[in-house]
Amino acid sequence: MATIRQNAFQDVLKREPQYVKYDSNISDFFGEHVFHAEVMREYLPDGAYKMMMAAIQSGTSLDRSIADQVASSMKDWAITKGATHYTHWFQPLNGSTAEKHDAFFKPVGPGRAIERFDGDLLVQQEPDASSFPNGGIRNTFEARGYSAWDPSSPAFVIGRTLCIPTIFVSYTGESLDFKMPLIKALNAIDQAAVEVCQYFDKNVTKVIATLGWEQEYFLIDKAMYNARPDIMMTGRALFGQAPAKGQQLEDHYFGSIPERVTEFMRDFEMKAIRLGIPVTTRHNEVAPNQFECAPIFEECNLANDHNLLLMDLMEKIALKHNFKVLLHEKPFAGMNGSGKHNNWSLSTNTGVNLLAPGKNPKTNLQFLTFFVNTIKAVHDNADLLRACIASANNDHRLGANEAPPAIISAFIGSYLSNVLDDIELNVKDGKMSPEDKTEFKMNIGKIPQIIMDNTDRNRTSPLAFTGNKFEFRAVGSTANCAKPMIIMNTIMAKQLKDFKVNVDKRIAKSDSKDEAILKELQQMIKDSKKIRFEGNGYGEEWVQEAARRGLNNFKDTPRALDIWDDPRVIAMFEELDVLTKREIEARKEIEFENYIYKLQIESRVMGDLTQNHIIPAVINYQNRLIANVQGLMQVLGDDGKEASAAQRELITKISMHLNKMKHLCDEMLDARRRVNKIEDAEEKAVAYCDEVKCYFDDIRYHTDKLEYLVDDELWPLPKLREMLLTK
Ligand code: ADP
Ligand code: MG
């Protein structure tokens, strides 16, 4: 009987590219499934349109009668797009399982029919929220939650459903999602940044955070996926030797993308463009069958919604092309993992990117102000940045195979390092002489508008300045970008607020505005020095050096999450009205639960697969060897012993690995039983990390040895080389 592996292989051999009709003119259909401003102008009465635009710009809520008008035109428009149903679309806190994206998109009930749709239904819904994680919030307060319309992110039609982006909150007002705190963090950064911009330009009244994400992913054939229960259930290969011909050749990078993949990409890109997602680039990543998709950056909240939509879209479209998208951070050990770089910047209503050097000393002082404030914010909150990217998946990636280490640092390039050193050394205490001021103005004026030296060397840093934005590279590929974006924007808002207070104090003490700013920048440059690192972030020396500098290196999620208990952190989030203490506690609890859940599943699957797939195949092969040895002895008599030496050696080796593997699996099972009894989520997560997860690599070591020793024909699971290098 053929193994599931052999059957899968037969399926793969039959595959053909699924050609997609090519639409030539993207501008003809960009955003055609989105209820965007232009459509609103067409469908809404003039007054309602203006109110709606004002609500989008300022975040104010809409009058109920206006909401009725918006709902009615939204419905009329959606029906022209073929929609029959509508749903509130929200982002609950279960970032845990492979079904995650389904959950994001799971309609409220199965989606409700669209004919009845008014302002009430647009503005607020009461989903059956009992199955979404809440970290205990609803247990103690109020059982229900509701979703509320977010007018700043436009509604869209997918298939036959009108999707309305919403926040998700408990009846007591606590957020149960990622969107609500993100919107609050974006408000906080808006306020704080506008105040600081006022030093430079009175016309600035609004600052938005921009986000440009880069989504990495693997593609494997659907049949191969179905033949690997570990990948199906955990998103990653728990077993398997890395292919002999793998990434060391690096011939895949920017190589020609096989036709089947090209057609898949074209298909999902066309659909993404219809949903207004501005996808543009497409190239192969470093590992075999690894790819990336990166759209043009957008306002942060919208960009994040678009990322979530795109992940869902990719998974759906891939199935049509007989592929399975693996979004996991580390699907294949020994090969590159997948990240989701978050490129972040701040932009004003006057059209200025606050993290791009300007044309003259004034705009460059503004640039330096925001630049140094970012570095200071990162310095003061490095542990929070580590915590917001922590997950069971990302633990496998950080610090391994071309992924940034778990140590947070910032790379700024040699040019800007020199500029900061100059300020640090040469800004004087007390009154600055007119010559000093002139010199500084000249030097600052010289900062080139495009800083070139950052492009190549930024690759090893978790957070790199790349000329006009910071790139947070440590974010995992499955992550909801809201997590890092809540942190980046909150810590920056806090930093800018403190900066404003300190500069104003200096001005009150008779410093001129520029002097006060320069002196404050100097202080911040001194205070945040240890976070700046220009060297190789992948090297072992950096681990030593970072320890000497007193930077933390949290290798696992449970430890990384500890920072959420810090009273300073809680005070910051409460001060800026982003999260309450209670919401923080609930989120932390959910993170622990997700972590436990992931490791529990991985450990179970590991046990099942060794028991049911690997051990039987190994014994089967061993029996063949034994029969062969017995046969040789029979035929050759005494000479049989020598003639079967290799087989005997194999039998012994196989027994050794089999015994060790089985023994380790049994021990892991005992450990799991023990750890499962722990009540407290944090304690349990730590125990899972230290007492269960520690078996994974050892068990894998022996199964991978067995994969190598056992007859290829008998091995039940598709091998990594087969999954990764098929056409
Ligand atoms: P790399 O792969 O070298 O990091 P890419 O060109 O793939 O570079 O990605 C650059 C990313 O930075 C894109 O997603 C782009 O949209 C984003 N980006 C560019 N300017 C900004 C900005 N001002 N704010 C946020 N993101 C930006
Ligand atoms: Mg990048």
Side-chain angles (χ1 to χ4, degrees), residues 214 292 341 343 459 471 473:
E214 303 164 50
E292 177 184 302
H341 299 177
N343 295 274
R459 304 238 163 234
E471 178 172 5
R473 303 175 61 252

Side-chain angles (χ1 to χ4, degrees), residues 395-419:
D395 281 357
H396 294 293
R397 170 179 168 258
L398 296 178
N401 275 79
E402 309 291 308
I407 308 159
I408 299 294
S409 67
F411 170 93
I412 61 171
S414 57
Y415 192 94
L416 288 167
S417 293
N418 290 336
V419 173

Side-chain angles (χ1 to χ4, degrees), residues 505-518:
K505 269 189 205 150
R506 288 181 192 269
I507 293 173
K509 276 199 219 143
S510 88
D511 274 351
S512 75
K513 189 179 70 189
D514 286 0
E515 235 172 10
I517 290 172
L518 271 174

Side-chain angles (χ1 to χ4, degrees), residues 423-442:
I423 296 174
E424 181 184 348
L425 296 174
N426 297 317
V427 172
K428 310 225 168 54
D429 275 349
K431 271 259 162 273
M432 286 169 82
S433 70
E435 292 77 39
D436 285 340
K437 280 194 218 163
T438 315
E439 199 195 319
F440 261 105
K441 278 202 178 138
M442 282 206 12

Side-chain angles (χ1 to χ4, degrees), residues 250-394:
E250 300 213 346
D251 53 359
H252 184 79
Y253 198 51
F254 287 111
S256 69
I257 301 172
E259 219 172 338
R260 269 181 73 199
V261 177
T262 312
E263 289 306 312
F264 152 70
M265 285 182 176
R266 178 179 292 165
D267 200 358
F268 91 73
E269 282 172 9
M270 296 290 175
K271 297 210 164 59
I273 285 165
R274 288 190 157 78
L275 286 166
I277 308 173
V279 287
T280 50
T281 58
R282 166 210 303 172
H283 60 79
N284 292 10
E285 276 304 313
V286 181
N289 281 31
Q290 192 188 26
F291 305 96
E292 177 184 302
C293 170
I296 298 166
F297 69 93
E298 299 175 283
E299 185 280 323
C300 195
N301 177 33
L302 181 62
N304 186 42
D305 282 357
H306 280 168
N307 179 243
L308 294 168
L309 253 176
L310 188 99
M311 289 196 286
D312 185 62
L313 205 61
M314 270 167 51
E315 296 197 316
K316 285 193 186 124
I317 306 290
L319 288 177
K320 274 181 31 191
H321 293 260
N322 293 309
F323 282 123
K324 185 74 197 174
V325 171
L326 303 183
L327 288 167
H328 194 288
E329 279 74 357
K330 194 77 178 176
F332 305 107
M335 258 176 271
N336 256 42
S338 297
K340 177 149 54 199
H341 299 177
N342 276 209
N343 295 274
W344 170 87
S345 190
L346 297 171
S347 169
T348 66
N349 59 307
T350 53
V352 173
N353 175 352
L354 293 168
L355 288 171
K359 290 196 184 85
N360 54 49
K362 194 179 101 175
T363 48
N364 271 345
L365 187 58
Q366 175 173 290
F367 157 68
L368 279 175
T369 295
F370 281 89
F371 179 68
V372 174
N373 269 290
T374 313
I375 294 167
K376 181 67 164 48
V378 171
H379 169 272
D380 290 359
N381 299 285
D383 292 349
L384 262 183
L385 287 165
R386 171 65 184 93
C388 75
I389 50 151
S391 70
N393 292 1
N394 216 15

Side-chain angles (χ1 to χ4, degrees), residues 371-620:
F371 179 68
V372 174
N373 269 290
T374 313
I375 294 167
K376 181 67 164 48
V378 171
H379 169 272
D380 290 359
N381 299 285
D383 292 349
L384 262 183
L385 287 165
R386 171 65 184 93
C388 75
I389 50 151
S391 70
N393 292 1
N394 216 15
D395 281 357
H396 294 293
R397 170 179 168 258
L398 296 178
N401 275 79
E402 309 291 308
I407 308 159
I408 299 294
S409 67
F411 170 93
I412 61 171
S414 57
Y415 192 94
L416 288 167
S417 293
N418 290 336
V419 173
L420 297 200
D421 290 348
D422 192 38
I423 296 174
E424 181 184 348
L425 296 174
N426 297 317
V427 172
K428 310 225 168 54
D429 275 349
K431 271 259 162 273
M432 286 169 82
S433 70
E435 292 77 39
D436 285 340
K437 280 194 218 163
T438 315
E439 199 195 319
F440 261 105
K441 278 202 178 138
M442 282 206 12
N443 285 346
I444 288 174
K446 279 188 213 143
I447 299 175
Q449 264 187 283
I450 298 168
I451 294 175
M452 298 299 287
D453 70 340
N454 294 317
T455 36
D456 268 341
R457 294 198 305 139
N458 76 48
R459 304 238 163 234
T460 68
S461 177
L463 192 80
F465 182 70
T466 50
N468 60 358
K469 61 195 181 287
F470 276 90
E471 178 172 5
F472 193 13
R473 303 175 61 252
V475 184
S477 46
T478 58
N480 182 320
C481 300
K483 272 164 97 182
M485 286 298 107
I486 289 166
I487 301 300
M488 268 319 281
N489 291 301
T490 303
I491 64 176
M492 187 62 170
K494 168 70 177 154
Q495 174 56 40
L496 290 172
K497 268 182 95 175
D498 292 352
F499 173 78
K500 172 90 169 59
V501 169
N502 293 342
V503 170
D504 285 350
K505 269 189 205 150
R506 288 181 192 269
I507 293 173
K509 276 199 219 143
S510 88
D511 274 351
S512 75
K513 189 179 70 189
D514 286 0
E515 235 172 10
I517 290 172
L518 271 174
K519 284 182 192 169
E520 189 57 28
L521 292 184
Q522 178 188 44
Q523 189 59 49
M524 285 154 55
I525 290 166
K526 282 184 184 159
D527 292 347
S528 59
K529 228 171 163 181
K530 73 168 194 278
I531 205 73
R532 275 159 53 196
F533 178 61
E534 302 288 302
N536 176 14
Y538 295 166
E540 184 52 32
E541 306 85 68
W542 172 229
V543 177
Q544 314 291 334
E545 164 70 11
R548 271 195 297 279
R549 291 189 188 188
L551 295 174
N552 283 322
N553 182 5
F554 297 113
K555 293 214 177 69
D556 56 68
T557 295
R559 268 80 178 189
L561 292 175
D562 242 15
I563 184 69
W564 284 114
D565 291 336
D566 187 337
R568 191 190 69 86
V569 167
I570 296 169
M572 172 169 69
F573 276 89
E574 295 205 315
E575 177 194 331
L576 293 166
D577 189 28
V578 176
L579 288 167
T580 63
K581 182 165 193 273
R582 208 170 137 50
E583 287 169 332
I584 289 174
E585 281 166 357
R587 265 152 220 269
K588 192 174 168 220
E589 182 92 1
I590 291 168
E591 295 280 359
F592 284 131
E593 282 166 6
N594 286 342
Y595 181 82
I596 294 164
Y597 185 56
K598 287 237 145 166
L599 291 194
Q600 194 171 44
I601 294 176
E602 288 197 349
S603 163
R604 280 188 192 147
V605 172
M606 207 165 221
D608 289 355
L609 274 190
T610 42
Q611 194 68 37
N612 297 315
H613 288 69
I614 294 170
I615 293 177
V618 170
I619 292 176
N620 198 350

Side-chain angles (χ1 to χ4, degrees), residues 173-175 179-190 486 489-490 493 576-580 583:
E174 275 111 351
S175 66
K179 195 187 242 292
M180 180 157 146
L182 177 62
I183 291 174
K184 287 179 161 188
L186 293 170
N187 282 335
I189 189 77
D190 178 13
I486 289 166
N489 291 301
T490 303
L576 293 166
D577 189 28
V578 176
L579 288 167
T580 63
E583 287 169 332

